[in-house]
């Protein structure tokens, strides 16, 4: 008998290291990594490209209905495709980053995204990161992590990342942007950023990425032993 592979939900605020951690955990377990933020970003990119008003729910929904968003693995690197066109870099632009929380506020948009995300996790063996995975998308996930860090630390990490890529970066502006996104993501009416009751909180402020990954892998091991 083969045991169904578990689903792992990783939620938390912007810049807490969710995607790096989720991807590493997925690689170690040979699970599929699903970046749900990238799905909202892809839609935002398309909405901006088509000059659709980000406050107009039905117009955005119409765009979503004709938009196929595919997360593909390209030699260990995740690629995001819109209708088979590679937008992996485009969805990280500051234009998309500053608008995505507004697009992600609409209930019709979230409902459709949640459906798509649930389908991807149907067979188990998924590490999914986002804001509402443990509470709404995968309420039955076998392991739920809520990953946090202080605003200062999250801004500092983004700053280092930009500098290491040779990109211009302003630490104070990053702090303001992250605080603003925290506020929008936590205060929205539908599926706000919130720790699920049964999620385990990891504050990564003074932890390395590897330490966080190891802590999660240990929890996976413990859970596997319990169901044996
Ligand atoms: O994780 P990220 O920064 O790429 O996410 C981009 C935005 O998408 C973020 O500001 C909030 C939104 N988001 C969401 O509302 N629900 C999710 N499950 C994932 C992201």
């Amino acid at each position: 008998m083969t045991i169904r592979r578990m689903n792992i939900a990783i939620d938390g605020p912007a810049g807490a290291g969710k995607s790096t951690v989720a991807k590493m955990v997925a690689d170690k377990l040979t699970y599929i990594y699903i970046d749900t933020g990238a799905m909202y970003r892809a839609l935002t990119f398309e909405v901006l490209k088509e000059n659709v008003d980000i406050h107009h729910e039905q117009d955005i929904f119409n765009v979503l209905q004709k938009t196929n968003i595919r997360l593909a693995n390209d030699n260990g690197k995740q690629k995001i495709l819109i209708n088979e066109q590679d937008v992996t870099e485009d969805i990280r632009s500051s234009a998309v980053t500053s608008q995505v929380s507004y697009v992600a506020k609409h209930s019709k948009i979230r409902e459709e995204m949640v459906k798509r995300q649930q389908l991807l996790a149907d067979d188990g063996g998924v590490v999914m990161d986002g804001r509402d995975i443990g509470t709404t998308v995968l309420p039955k996930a076998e392991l739920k992590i809520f990953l946090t860090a202080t605003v200062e630390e999250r801004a500092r990490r983004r700053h280092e990342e930009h500098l290491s890529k040779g990109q211009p970066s302003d630490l104070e502006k990053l702090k303001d942007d992250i605080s603003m996104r925290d506020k929008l993501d936590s205060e929205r009416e539908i599926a706000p950023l919130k720790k699920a009751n049964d999620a385990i909180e990891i504050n990564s402020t003074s932890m390395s990425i590897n330490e966080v990954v190891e802590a999660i892998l240990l929890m996976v091991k413990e859970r596997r032993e319990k169901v044996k």
Side-chain angles (χ1 to χ4, degrees):
M1 190 189 75
T2 50
I3 299 172
R4 186 185 185 275
R5 300 195 302 166
M6 64 173 82
N7 280 329
I8 302 172
I10 303 185
D11 290 300
K18 293 185 302 293
S19 52
T20 311
V21 165
K23 190 171 181 316
M24 286 171 75
V25 169
D27 284 349
K28 283 267 182 193
L29 299 171
T30 58
Y31 277 22
I32 295 168
Y33 163 53
I34 297 167
D35 176 356
T36 62
M39 296 172 72
Y40 288 97
R41 284 173 179 272
L43 174 62
T44 305
F45 173 76
E46 202 61 13
V47 160
L48 294 177
K49 198 180 85 187
E50 299 211 358
N51 266 322
V52 165
D53 181 352
I54 50 158
H55 302 293
H56 202 295
E57 183 166 19
Q58 186 59 45
D59 288 355
I60 299 175
F61 187 68
N62 294 342
V63 174
L64 180 56
Q65 278 193 311
K66 54 181 180 144
T67 304
N68 178 274
I69 301 167
R70 192 160 73 84
L71 308 177
N73 190 321
D74 181 34
N75 282 328
K77 279 205 157 185
Q78 178 142 100
K79 269 194 171 179
I80 320 297
L81 307 165
I82 295 181
N83 300 332
E84 294 310 303
Q85 193 199 332
D86 188 348
V87 292
T88 313
E89 299 293 324
D90 306 283
I91 64 163
R92 304 285 157 197
S93 72
S94 56
V96 169
T97 303
S98 64
Q99 303 300 310
V100 60
S101 290
Y102 297 100
V103 170
K105 259 172 66 164
H106 303 294
S107 62
K108 268 179 100 149
I109 305 302
R110 300 204 68 85
E111 257 169 43
E112 171 63 19
M113 287 294 198
V114 168
K115 264 193 227 156
R116 294 187 187 191
Q117 291 154 6
Q118 287 173 336
L119 264 180
L120 292 170
D122 236 12
D123 296 332
V126 150
V127 182
M128 193 178 279
D129 83 2
R131 306 292 191 285
D132 59 341
I133 311 306
T135 54
T136 309
V137 182
L138 304 176
K140 294 199 181 130
E142 284 81 357
L143 178 61
K144 298 180 186 178
I145 305 293
F146 196 75
L147 190 61
T148 62
T150 58
V151 171
E152 286 71 22
E153 176 61 15
R154 288 185 278 139
R156 194 193 63 75
R157 290 179 191 167
R158 276 280 147 91
H159 185 59
E160 301 272 308
E161 193 183 315
H162 289 164
L163 296 182
S164 73
K165 289 183 189 160
Q167 295 167 350
S169 191
D170 176 340
L171 185 59
E172 288 310 311
K173 182 166 183 315
L174 282 172
K175 269 189 218 168
D176 291 346
D177 290 350
I178 286 181
S179 304
M180 183 63 183
R181 274 218 286 157
D182 282 359
K183 191 169 150 59
L184 287 169
D185 293 342
S186 317
E187 292 181 358
R188 72 164 170 248
E189 262 171 58
I190 306 128
L193 167 66
K194 193 169 157 262
K195 177 178 168 293
N197 290 335
D198 52 350
I200 297 162
E201 180 159 349
I202 301 180
N203 184 332
S204 73
T205 305
S206 39
M207 288 171 87
S208 70
I209 291 287
N210 279 331
E211 284 170 334
V212 176
V213 171
E214 285 309 317
I216 296 174
L217 290 173
L218 190 63
M219 292 176 208
V220 171
K221 192 165 169 258
E222 284 166 3
R223 269 160 185 73
R224 278 178 173 166
E225 273 159 14
K226 252 195 224 163
V227 295
K228 256 187 198 164

